[in-house]
Amino acid sequence: MFYQDDDDRPGADGDLVCGQGTSRKAAKLASRLEPHLGEAEELRGLFLVNSLRPLLNILAVTSARLIFGTDDLHRRPPKLVLNPEDLVGFALPKGRMGVRLVRDDEHGQPIAITTLVHERDTEALAALVSDLRSRPIPPGPPRGSRVGTPAPSAEVPRDRKASREDRVADIERRGSELLRQAAGRAAEQDVQGEERLIHRALQRCSEGPVFARGALKKSLQAQVDELVQAGELRRRARFIGTVHQLNPVGFSSMPPLMVYDDRIILADACQLFDGDVSASVECDGQVLVHHRPTMTRMAAGAVLPGSALLVGMATAKKETTDTRSARFIVVHPEWRFSIAISPDALGEPRALAAQINKIADTKRDSGGGADDKLSKLERLAALVASGALSASEAERLRGEILRS
């Protein structure tokens, strides 16, 4: 198997040879090996091994040496490094448990470096070691600071804090840009597009670091409020009320239903408020209370023989089962909003539903009156055109119609 991505390939002389099960994490291992390599050193092969040494599971073959370590090389130094001169008597004999990686010591005796190398990797590993022994390259000075000698502790938190602050500032900048786009939609009287962009801007806070999400949300909401007060967002929209959803899980907030006199908003969905809208509150279920005697209470409270039943009936255990559910529903011939609400607090939702229905009735009546006036004016024009009415009579009647 070969790792083919040229962007992540450390070596320049062909692809990085990856052993069995290594290619899927080759880029990660290569980046973690980077600080341990010299400037002229190239990574040529990566293999998984099973060693006698504790937690030794990675073998890297470079252009200058063999590096043994673990997959957390970004935090730990290599366990063992073998230079070309150490590879005298290097062999890969096959045993009962797999292929062993063996080299000779200074007395010519074989020493097992690892207990197991995948059998399919032996040919590629032998070729890489042979090439290393025939033309070793001096590694040169290390490319980065080695593990165990980190930068001063004062610099690391400062760099991390700066990166977090840059990330928060970028999120806030993108949120502000979305709010400017929403103001443009408001100027075009695109109410639904305006509310979608406002929702996307407020959702940007979830992309930030956990510790900064609350401050991000407050900052973006403050920008929304300022633009609303300046008349750039939700132009001429009068706020009516809010209904909060009942969250069955309890650990995350649910978006509320917000009602304005020209729009109704739920999360990223926005619908226009016209005369065909109606609202209601529906409640179902009941609270059931059961009383039953228990053996524990009868035994604990009985003083005389035969009195246990009396004690049990007098101190019966009370069990309450609440099956109630309530929903706030806003319907229209073309859409519908339905959210769960608390059955213990139905006063405000019912008052808001009544207010929504009253506003809808007003919109419907005003729309009907306008249509009636238009039809009367059309009939008046037809009478004038046919000669049934004089111009002076038609002008008098037109004024009466418009004043009514």
Side-chain angles (χ1 to χ4, degrees):
M1 292 187 293
F2 298 93
Y3 192 74
Q4 302 287 353
D5 193 345
D6 291 335
D7 294 336
D8 291 326
R9 188 184 64 201
D13 299 335
D15 294 330
L16 176 66
V17 179
C18 295
Q20 297 293 314
T22 314
S23 59
R24 64 179 181 272
K25 54 181 179 180
K28 183 198 302 183
L29 293 173
S31 64
R32 292 178 176 180
L33 275 164
E34 187 76 14
H36 305 284
L37 302 182
E39 290 182 353
E41 192 173 6
E42 298 172 356
L43 185 60
R44 293 180 176 174
L46 280 171
F47 302 91
L48 296 180
V49 296
N50 181 16
S51 174
L52 292 173
R53 291 178 171 82
L55 300 178
L56 181 60
N57 55 11
I58 297 296
L59 167 59
V61 182
T62 72
S63 59
R65 52 193 169 169
L66 266 65
I67 299 176
F68 295 84
T70 61
D71 53 6
D72 59 348
L73 280 164
H74 58 300
R75 293 188 289 113
R76 300 174 183 269
K79 297 282 186 178
L80 178 65
V81 176
L82 296 181
N83 296 315
E85 57 270 19
D86 299 323
L87 299 177
V88 178
F90 183 88
L92 294 167
K94 184 176 181 181
R96 289 181 300 175
M97 299 297 294
V99 179
R100 297 169 58 194
L101 189 63
V102 176
R103 73 179 179 93
D104 292 346
D105 62 5
E106 62 271 15
H107 303 293
Q109 299 297 322
I111 300 175
I113 301 173
T114 177
T115 58
L116 183 63
V117 178
H118 201 286
E119 186 175 356
R120 296 181 184 178
D121 297 338
T122 55
E123 184 177 349
L125 180 57
L128 289 171
V129 173
S130 176
D131 184 68
L132 172 61
R133 293 175 61 183
S134 62
R135 49 171 191 159
I137 298 175
R143 302 179 187 180
S145 61
R146 291 185 175 274
V147 177
T149 57
S153 58
E155 296 182 5
V156 176
R158 184 167 64 247
D159 294 341
R160 291 177 181 173
K161 184 177 180 181
S163 64
R164 287 196 298 264
E165 290 175 350
D166 293 342
R167 183 180 172 189
V168 170
D170 181 64
I171 292 172
E172 190 169 1
R173 178 187 58 78
R174 287 184 290 168
S176 301
E177 177 61 29
L178 288 172
L179 292 178
R180 284 192 292 271
Q181 296 177 20
R185 293 292 181 91
E188 299 170 0
Q189 298 184 353
D190 181 5
V191 173
Q192 294 174 319
E194 171 193 1
E195 292 298 336
R196 279 195 296 268
L197 288 169
I198 293 175
H199 178 77
R200 285 177 55 192
L202 294 176
Q203 287 298 108
R204 288 290 182 186
C205 62
S206 62
E207 302 175 4
V210 176
F211 78 96
R213 290 177 185 175
L216 269 173
K217 187 172 183 178
K218 289 181 180 179
S219 174
L220 293 173
Q221 186 62 54
Q223 294 184 43
V224 173
D225 296 339
E226 290 176 2
L227 292 172
V228 169
Q229 292 179 0
E232 298 183 29
L233 288 179
R234 294 169 179 165
R235 300 186 176 193
R236 296 180 296 277
R238 181 170 61 89
F239 180 71
I240 304 300
T242 299
V243 180
H244 295 280
Q245 292 197 59
L246 177 65
N247 185 4
V249 179
F251 60 83
S252 61
S253 60
M254 302 286 286
L257 181 86
M258 297 187 295
V259 182
Y260 291 80
D261 62 350
D262 66 340
R263 70 196 75 182
I264 301 176
I265 307 164
L266 179 61
D268 59 342
C270 174
Q271 300 295 344
L272 300 180
F273 190 168
D274 57 23
D276 295 326
V277 171
S278 63
S280 62
V281 176
E282 296 183 0
C283 187
D284 191 15
Q286 58 186 337
V287 179
L288 301 176
V289 181
H290 301 276
H291 298 272
R292 63 180 181 86
T294 63
M295 296 297 294
T296 304
R297 296 187 181 188
M298 286 191 291
V303 180
L304 299 174
S307 62
L309 183 59
L310 298 175
V311 175
M313 296 298 294
T315 60
K317 184 177 181 180
K318 180 180 178 181
E319 293 182 350
T320 303
T321 304
D322 190 352
T323 61
R324 295 176 302 163
S325 63
R327 302 195 71 84
F328 186 89
I329 301 174
V330 183
V331 296
H332 186 273
E334 299 178 358
W335 51 267
R336 172 188 175 95
F337 285 148
S338 178
I339 62 173
I341 59 176
S342 173
D344 296 321
L346 298 179
E348 292 185 4
R350 283 174 174 162
L352 180 60
Q355 193 173 1
I356 290 173
N357 293 331
K358 183 178 179 181
I359 294 173
D361 292 340
T362 304
K363 290 177 177 287
R364 188 164 52 251
D365 294 340
S366 62
D371 293 340
D372 188 47
K373 287 182 181 180
L374 182 61
S375 63
K376 289 180 179 180
L377 291 173
E378 289 176 350
R379 288 197 300 271
L380 184 62
L383 291 174
V384 172
S386 64
L389 285 177
S390 63
S392 59
E393 291 175 341
E395 188 65 28
R396 179 179 60 79
L397 292 174
R398 184 181 295 108
E400 292 178 358
I401 291 172
L402 293 176
R403 287 192 297 272
S404 64

